[in-house]
């Protein structure tokens, strides 16, 4: 088993605490009407952070769904500003620029999965020594895109890691209404590559599974499907009331397996963490978030930026839309205070 070192575990806890604190602050900003709908990270921290700590940000790519970006600090502190641009509904939000190997937020479920396979295949064709990791939820796995992408990746032997975050819910749809299969990992059998299930609250287990999958991919042995089993500890988004459908005893039991508290306790026991460090990390996380929020708010609104990444050159229709937006004729969806409504 590839175990992270003490120093790596400490860095992972810093990223996990940072993500949680920043997610909670963003939630509060939404309640104050300062940002749009957001999807909190609570319960997913060990999975996202453990996975990206097993990758090489200089070569490997990450394709998030929508819950992960706030926890991708390892890929660069600049990502936070893009998260905040996204949250305020800025057209440039989510377009994380090169050389950071993180693709934009994906709200249209599962569309990032075929993108990941195409990207991984492209790396192979260019002899680029990198792998691609794509995050998606249990709900997204019901989309045709997942099956098409999995099948193609198996046939091509593409260097891609499919990371299904099974948080037991897709908004209010429980996992037993999502699939009759014995697990999400089991679906890899039909694609002809390994599927493994890990405890997604255990950062070491996630790190190990991703590391193994990465080595396989780099050795030309093709894809792996990893199912990380977690529990969504918060609401689906700021637009959701989970008390209407999440059984109270279930959430209570899941709180007992909280991934952040678990790693905190382990590192405290090993003498690698204490209350003073925790307070320092939390304060730094809030300072960074506030700075990123202020920077995002003062970034000029380029109303036509949303059209920039569609084609190398605008089609006739896009050119008309761009002209309309620049003339102020089009509706950008951004309110007078620079805030948009729901993204989901
Ligand atoms: C193609 C598509 N269909 C439906 C939706 C509405 N929708 C947004 S989030 C969501 C649930 C997704 O669940 P999951 O993939 O398990 O991710 P989680 O939110 O649990 O992290 C749904 C159905 C959407 N965004 N895109
Ligand atoms: Mg889910």
């Amino acid at each position: 088993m590839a175990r992270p070192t003490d120093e790596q575990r400490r860095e992972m806890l810093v990223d996990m605490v940072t993500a949680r604190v920043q997610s909670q602050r963003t939630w509060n900003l939404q309640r104050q009407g300062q940002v749009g709908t957001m999807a909190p990270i609570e319960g997913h921290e060990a999975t996202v952070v453990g996975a990206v700590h097993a990758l090489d940000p200089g070569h490997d790519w990450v394709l998030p769904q929508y819950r992960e970006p706030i926890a991708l600090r390892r890929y660069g502190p600049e990502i936070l500003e893009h998260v905040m641009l996204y949250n305020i509904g800025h057209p440039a939000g989510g377009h994380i620029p090169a050389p950071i190997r993180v693709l934009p937020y994906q709200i249209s479920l599962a569309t990032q999965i075929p993108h990941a396979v195409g990207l991984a295949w492209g790396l192979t064709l260019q002899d680029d020594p990198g792998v691609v990791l794509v995050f998606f939820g249990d709900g997204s796995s019901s989309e045709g895109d997942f099956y098409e992408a999995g099948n193609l990746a198996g046939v091509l032997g593409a260097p891609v890691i499919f990371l299904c975050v099974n948080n037991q819910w897709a908004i209010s749809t429980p996992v037993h209404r999502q699939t009759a299969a014995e697990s999400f990992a089991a679906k890899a059998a039909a694609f002809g590559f390994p599927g493994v299930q890990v405890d997604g609250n255990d950062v070491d287990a996630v790190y190990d599974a991703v590391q193994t999958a990465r080595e396989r991919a780099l050795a030309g042995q093709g894809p792996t499907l990893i199912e990380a089993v977690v529990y969504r500890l918060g609401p689906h988004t700021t637009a959701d009331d989970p008390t209407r459908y999440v059984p109270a005893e279930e959430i209570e039991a899941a709180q007992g397996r909280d991934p952040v508290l678990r790693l905190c306790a382990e590192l405290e026991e090993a003498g690698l963490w204490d209350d003073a460090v925790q307070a320092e990390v939390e304060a730094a996380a809030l300072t960074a978030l506030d700075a990123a929020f202020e920077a995002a708010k003062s970034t000029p609104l380029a109303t036509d930026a949303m059209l920039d990444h569609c084609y190398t050159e605008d089609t006739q229709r896009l050119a008309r839309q761009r002209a309309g937006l620049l003339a102020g004729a089009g509706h950008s969806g951004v309110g007078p205070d620079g805030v948009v409504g729901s993204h989901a």
Side-chain angles (χ1 to χ4, degrees):
M1 174 165 173
R3 270 190 74 84
T5 62
D6 280 354
E7 188 44 36
Q8 282 174 312
R9 297 181 91 216
R10 209 178 156 280
E11 281 168 15
M12 291 197 285
L13 185 54
V14 170
D15 284 1
M16 287 164 63
V17 170
T18 302
R20 178 164 296 190
V21 165
Q22 292 177 338
S23 174
Q24 287 170 345
R25 172 75 121 217
T26 310
W27 175 279
N28 292 342
L29 289 172
Q30 193 279 344
R31 287 295 186 255
Q32 294 163 14
Q34 306 233 43
V35 307
T37 305
M38 57 82 70
I41 185 111
E42 281 92 329
H44 291 218
E45 294 92 341
T47 292
V48 182
V49 171
V52 298
H53 275 257
L55 299 179
D56 172 0
H59 291 101
D60 302 334
W61 291 80
V62 174
L63 282 77
Q65 189 155 293
Y66 43 72
R67 217 177 280 286
E68 297 83 17
I70 199 133
L72 298 179
R73 191 167 169 268
R74 174 166 160 80
Y75 267 72
E78 310 90 313
I79 290 184
L80 189 58
E81 199 177 311
H82 292 275
V83 169
M84 294 319 286
L85 279 167
Y86 178 83
N87 283 327
I88 65 170
H90 194 288
H95 291 287
I96 299 160
I100 299 177
R101 290 174 163 81
V102 174
L103 265 64
Y105 275 75
Q106 196 49 265
I107 299 294
S108 187
L109 292 184
T111 47
Q112 74 275 23
I113 313 176
H115 294 166
V117 177
L119 180 54
W121 187 26
L123 294 180
T124 314
L125 295 177
Q126 291 173 335
D127 275 332
D128 185 323
V131 307
V132 178
L133 182 139
V134 56
F135 288 103
F136 56 98
D138 44 286
S140 290
S141 78
S142 292
E143 294 285 342
D145 276 358
F146 165 65
Y147 295 95
E148 294 168 26
N151 186 64
L152 183 64
V155 170
L156 296 172
V160 56
I161 302 167
F162 297 91
L163 208 169
C164 177
V165 187
N166 172 9
N167 67 356
Q168 317 301 322
W169 297 96
I171 313 184
S172 56
T173 302
V175 81
H176 67 85
R177 303 278 295 167
Q178 198 63 251
T179 185
E182 127 196 354
S183 69
F184 291 98
K187 295 178 187 241
F191 303 142
F193 52 76
V196 291
Q197 195 182 50
V198 294
D199 176 357
N201 291 321
D202 179 348
V203 80
D204 297 345
V206 176
Y207 177 92
D208 176 50
V210 173
Q211 173 108 313
T212 305
R214 180 174 185 271
E215 277 163 16
R216 264 182 57 83
L218 286 177
Q221 292 166 346
T224 303
L225 169 61
I226 300 171
E227 173 187 354
V229 181
V230 297
Y231 200 95
R232 196 192 72 207
L233 293 176
H236 169 65
T237 63
T238 39
D240 178 40
D241 176 8
T243 62
R244 296 180 59 171
Y245 60 87
V246 173
E249 63 284 0
E250 218 178 276
I251 187 78
E252 211 177 298
Q255 279 158 352
R257 304 188 298 270
D258 184 315
V260 177
L261 300 184
R262 173 178 174 160
L263 188 58
C264 258
E266 286 177 20
L267 292 198
E268 265 173 12
E269 180 130 350
L272 298 166
W273 197 264
D274 58 31
D275 289 350
V277 177
Q278 173 90 19
E280 218 173 277
V281 171
E282 287 180 1
L286 290 177
T287 305
L289 197 275
D290 291 345
F293 180 50
E294 290 308 317
K297 276 200 301 189
S298 58
T299 301
L301 265 183
T303 12
D304 62 331
M306 68 178 105
L307 306 179
D308 285 354
H309 303 285
C310 298
Y311 299 97
T312 312
E313 282 173 31
D314 286 355
T315 60
Q316 284 182 353
R317 178 185 285 183
L318 276 189
R320 275 199 306 277
Q321 288 177 349
R322 189 185 293 279
L325 284 166
L326 289 174
H331 178 57
S332 68
V334 178
D337 53 359
V339 172
V340 286
S342 166
H343 300 293

